[in-house]
Short mmCIF file of all heavy atoms in Angstrom, two decimals:
data_model
loop_
_atom_site.label_atom_id
_atom_site.label_comp_id
_atom_site.label_asym_id
_atom_site.label_seq_id
_atom_site.Cartn_x
_atom_site.Cartn_y
_atom_site.Cartn_z
N PRO A 144 -5.61 39.92 -6.91
CA PRO A 144 -5.61 41.13 -7.75
C PRO A 144 -5.42 42.38 -6.90
O PRO A 144 -5.89 42.44 -5.75
CB PRO A 144 -7.01 41.12 -8.39
CG PRO A 144 -7.51 39.73 -8.23
CD PRO A 144 -6.89 39.21 -6.98
N LEU A 145 -4.77 43.38 -7.45
CA LEU A 145 -4.50 44.61 -6.70
C LEU A 145 -5.76 45.26 -6.15
O LEU A 145 -5.75 45.76 -5.03
CB LEU A 145 -3.72 45.59 -7.59
CG LEU A 145 -3.31 46.90 -6.93
CD1 LEU A 145 -2.42 46.66 -5.71
CD2 LEU A 145 -2.59 47.80 -7.93
N PRO A 146 -6.90 45.30 -6.90
CA PRO A 146 -8.10 45.94 -6.34
C PRO A 146 -8.58 45.30 -5.04
O PRO A 146 -9.33 45.92 -4.29
CB PRO A 146 -9.14 45.78 -7.45
CG PRO A 146 -8.36 45.67 -8.70
CD PRO A 146 -7.11 44.91 -8.31
N GLY A 147 -8.16 44.07 -4.78
CA GLY A 147 -8.56 43.42 -3.54
C GLY A 147 -8.06 44.14 -2.30
O GLY A 147 -8.60 43.96 -1.21
N PHE A 148 -7.06 44.98 -2.46
CA PHE A 148 -6.51 45.71 -1.31
C PHE A 148 -7.36 46.92 -0.91
O PHE A 148 -7.12 47.51 0.12
CB PHE A 148 -5.09 46.19 -1.63
CG PHE A 148 -4.05 45.11 -1.62
CD1 PHE A 148 -3.77 44.39 -2.78
CD2 PHE A 148 -3.37 44.78 -0.48
CE1 PHE A 148 -2.83 43.38 -2.79
CE2 PHE A 148 -2.41 43.78 -0.47
CZ PHE A 148 -2.15 43.07 -1.63
N LYS A 149 -8.34 47.27 -1.73
CA LYS A 149 -9.12 48.47 -1.45
C LYS A 149 -9.86 48.39 -0.12
O LYS A 149 -10.12 49.40 0.52
CB LYS A 149 -10.11 48.72 -2.59
CG LYS A 149 -9.46 49.21 -3.87
CD LYS A 149 -10.51 49.50 -4.94
CE LYS A 149 -9.86 50.02 -6.21
NZ LYS A 149 -10.87 50.29 -7.26
N PHE A 150 -10.25 47.18 0.27
CA PHE A 150 -11.05 47.03 1.49
C PHE A 150 -10.20 46.83 2.73
O PHE A 150 -10.73 46.72 3.82
CB PHE A 150 -12.01 45.85 1.34
CG PHE A 150 -11.32 44.52 1.12
CD1 PHE A 150 -10.70 43.87 2.17
CD2 PHE A 150 -11.29 43.95 -0.13
CE1 PHE A 150 -10.06 42.66 1.97
CE2 PHE A 150 -10.66 42.74 -0.33
CZ PHE A 150 -10.05 42.09 0.72
N PHE A 151 -8.89 46.77 2.60
CA PHE A 151 -8.03 46.40 3.71
C PHE A 151 -8.11 47.41 4.86
O PHE A 151 -8.20 48.60 4.65
CB PHE A 151 -6.57 46.30 3.26
CG PHE A 151 -6.18 44.90 2.86
CD1 PHE A 151 -6.89 44.23 1.90
CD2 PHE A 151 -5.11 44.27 3.45
CE1 PHE A 151 -6.54 42.96 1.53
CE2 PHE A 151 -4.75 42.99 3.09
CZ PHE A 151 -5.46 42.33 2.13
N LYS A 152 -8.04 46.87 6.06
CA LYS A 152 -7.94 47.71 7.26
C LYS A 152 -6.57 47.55 7.91
O LYS A 152 -6.14 48.39 8.68
CB LYS A 152 -9.04 47.34 8.25
CG LYS A 152 -10.45 47.66 7.75
CD LYS A 152 -11.51 47.31 8.78
CE LYS A 152 -12.89 47.65 8.25
NZ LYS A 152 -13.96 47.28 9.23
N LYS A 153 -5.91 46.43 7.58
CA LYS A 153 -4.63 46.13 8.23
C LYS A 153 -3.47 46.36 7.27
O LYS A 153 -2.64 45.47 7.05
CB LYS A 153 -4.63 44.70 8.76
CG LYS A 153 -5.65 44.48 9.88
CD LYS A 153 -5.55 43.09 10.48
CE LYS A 153 -6.50 42.95 11.65
NZ LYS A 153 -6.41 41.62 12.30
N TYR A 154 -3.40 47.55 6.69
CA TYR A 154 -2.28 47.84 5.82
C TYR A 154 -0.96 47.77 6.56
O TYR A 154 0.08 47.49 5.98
CB TYR A 154 -2.44 49.24 5.19
CG TYR A 154 -3.36 49.27 4.01
CD1 TYR A 154 -4.66 49.73 4.14
CD2 TYR A 154 -2.96 48.82 2.76
CE1 TYR A 154 -5.53 49.75 3.06
CE2 TYR A 154 -3.81 48.83 1.68
CZ TYR A 154 -5.09 49.30 1.82
OH TYR A 154 -5.93 49.31 0.75
N ASN A 155 -1.00 48.05 7.86
CA ASN A 155 0.24 48.01 8.64
C ASN A 155 0.81 46.60 8.76
O ASN A 155 1.91 46.40 9.22
CB ASN A 155 0.02 48.61 10.03
CG ASN A 155 -1.03 47.86 10.83
OD1 ASN A 155 -2.04 47.42 10.28
ND2 ASN A 155 -0.81 47.73 12.13
N TRP A 156 0.04 45.59 8.30
CA TRP A 156 0.54 44.21 8.30
C TRP A 156 1.31 43.89 7.03
O TRP A 156 2.00 42.88 6.96
CB TRP A 156 -0.63 43.22 8.43
CG TRP A 156 -1.19 43.09 9.80
CD1 TRP A 156 -1.51 44.11 10.64
CD2 TRP A 156 -1.51 41.88 10.47
NE1 TRP A 156 -2.03 43.61 11.81
CE2 TRP A 156 -2.04 42.24 11.73
CE3 TRP A 156 -1.42 40.53 10.15
CZ2 TRP A 156 -2.46 41.29 12.66
CZ3 TRP A 156 -1.85 39.59 11.06
CH2 TRP A 156 -2.36 39.96 12.31
N LEU A 157 1.18 44.71 6.01
CA LEU A 157 1.79 44.40 4.72
C LEU A 157 3.30 44.62 4.78
O LEU A 157 3.78 45.73 4.96
CB LEU A 157 1.17 45.27 3.63
CG LEU A 157 1.60 44.98 2.19
CD1 LEU A 157 1.35 43.52 1.83
CD2 LEU A 157 0.86 45.89 1.23
N LYS A 158 4.03 43.53 4.61
CA LYS A 158 5.49 43.59 4.73
C LYS A 158 6.18 43.71 3.38
O LYS A 158 7.20 44.39 3.24
CB LYS A 158 6.00 42.34 5.47
CG LYS A 158 7.50 42.35 5.73
CD LYS A 158 7.92 41.15 6.55
CE LYS A 158 9.41 41.22 6.88
NZ LYS A 158 9.83 40.04 7.70
N ASP A 159 5.65 43.02 2.36
CA ASP A 159 6.29 43.03 1.05
C ASP A 159 5.24 42.72 0.00
O ASP A 159 4.24 42.06 0.27
CB ASP A 159 7.41 41.99 1.01
CG ASP A 159 8.40 42.26 -0.12
OD1 ASP A 159 8.28 43.30 -0.79
OD2 ASP A 159 9.29 41.41 -0.32
N ILE A 160 5.47 43.20 -1.22
CA ILE A 160 4.54 42.94 -2.30
C ILE A 160 5.29 42.84 -3.63
O ILE A 160 6.25 43.59 -3.86
CB ILE A 160 3.44 44.03 -2.38
CG1 ILE A 160 2.38 43.65 -3.44
CG2 ILE A 160 4.03 45.41 -2.66
CD1 ILE A 160 1.13 44.47 -3.34
N THR A 161 4.88 41.92 -4.47
CA THR A 161 5.42 41.76 -5.81
C THR A 161 4.28 41.94 -6.81
O THR A 161 3.21 41.32 -6.66
CB THR A 161 6.03 40.36 -6.01
OG1 THR A 161 7.13 40.20 -5.11
CG2 THR A 161 6.52 40.17 -7.44
N PHE A 162 4.47 42.81 -7.79
CA PHE A 162 3.48 43.01 -8.84
C PHE A 162 3.87 42.13 -10.03
O PHE A 162 4.97 42.27 -10.57
CB PHE A 162 3.43 44.47 -9.26
CG PHE A 162 3.05 45.41 -8.15
CD1 PHE A 162 4.03 46.07 -7.42
CD2 PHE A 162 1.73 45.63 -7.83
CE1 PHE A 162 3.70 46.94 -6.40
CE2 PHE A 162 1.38 46.49 -6.79
CZ PHE A 162 2.36 47.14 -6.08
N LEU A 163 2.99 41.24 -10.42
CA LEU A 163 3.28 40.34 -11.54
C LEU A 163 2.99 41.06 -12.85
O LEU A 163 1.85 41.39 -13.16
CB LEU A 163 2.43 39.07 -11.44
CG LEU A 163 2.63 38.24 -10.16
CD1 LEU A 163 1.74 37.02 -10.19
CD2 LEU A 163 4.08 37.84 -9.99
N LYS A 164 4.03 41.34 -13.61
CA LYS A 164 3.89 42.09 -14.85
C LYS A 164 3.37 41.22 -15.99
O LYS A 164 2.79 41.71 -16.94
CB LYS A 164 5.23 42.72 -15.24
CG LYS A 164 5.77 43.71 -14.22
CD LYS A 164 4.80 44.86 -13.97
CE LYS A 164 5.36 45.87 -12.98
NZ LYS A 164 4.39 46.95 -12.70
N GLU A 165 3.60 39.92 -15.90
CA GLU A 165 3.12 39.00 -16.92
C GLU A 165 2.04 38.11 -16.33
O GLU A 165 2.09 37.71 -15.17
CB GLU A 165 4.28 38.14 -17.44
CG GLU A 165 5.45 38.93 -18.03
CD GLU A 165 5.07 39.64 -19.32
OE1 GLU A 165 4.13 39.15 -20.01
OE2 GLU A 165 5.70 40.66 -19.63
N ASN A 166 1.05 37.79 -17.16
CA ASN A 166 -0.01 36.89 -16.74
C ASN A 166 0.53 35.45 -16.71
O ASN A 166 0.89 34.91 -17.75
CB ASN A 166 -1.19 36.99 -17.72
CG ASN A 166 -2.35 36.10 -17.32
OD1 ASN A 166 -2.28 35.34 -16.36
ND2 ASN A 166 -3.43 36.19 -18.06
N PRO A 167 0.61 34.82 -15.54
CA PRO A 167 1.21 33.48 -15.45
C PRO A 167 0.24 32.35 -15.79
O PRO A 167 0.64 31.20 -15.82
CB PRO A 167 1.63 33.40 -13.98
CG PRO A 167 0.62 34.23 -13.26
CD PRO A 167 0.23 35.33 -14.20
N PHE A 168 -1.04 32.69 -16.01
CA PHE A 168 -2.05 31.66 -16.18
C PHE A 168 -2.50 31.55 -17.62
O PHE A 168 -3.20 32.42 -18.14
CB PHE A 168 -3.25 31.95 -15.28
CG PHE A 168 -2.87 32.10 -13.83
CD1 PHE A 168 -3.08 33.29 -13.17
CD2 PHE A 168 -2.28 31.06 -13.16
CE1 PHE A 168 -2.73 33.43 -11.85
CE2 PHE A 168 -1.91 31.18 -11.84
CZ PHE A 168 -2.14 32.37 -11.18
#
Side-chain angles (χ1 to χ4, degrees):
L145 183 59
F148 286 89
K149 288 183 178 179
F150 61 76
F151 266 56
K152 294 181 179 178
K153 294 185 176 182
Y154 280 102
N155 60 322
W156 283 46
L157 186 56
K158 184 176 184 179
D159 199 6
I160 186 166
T161 297
F162 300 96
L163 300 181
K164 298 302 182 183
E165 302 293 334
N166 182 355
F168 304 118

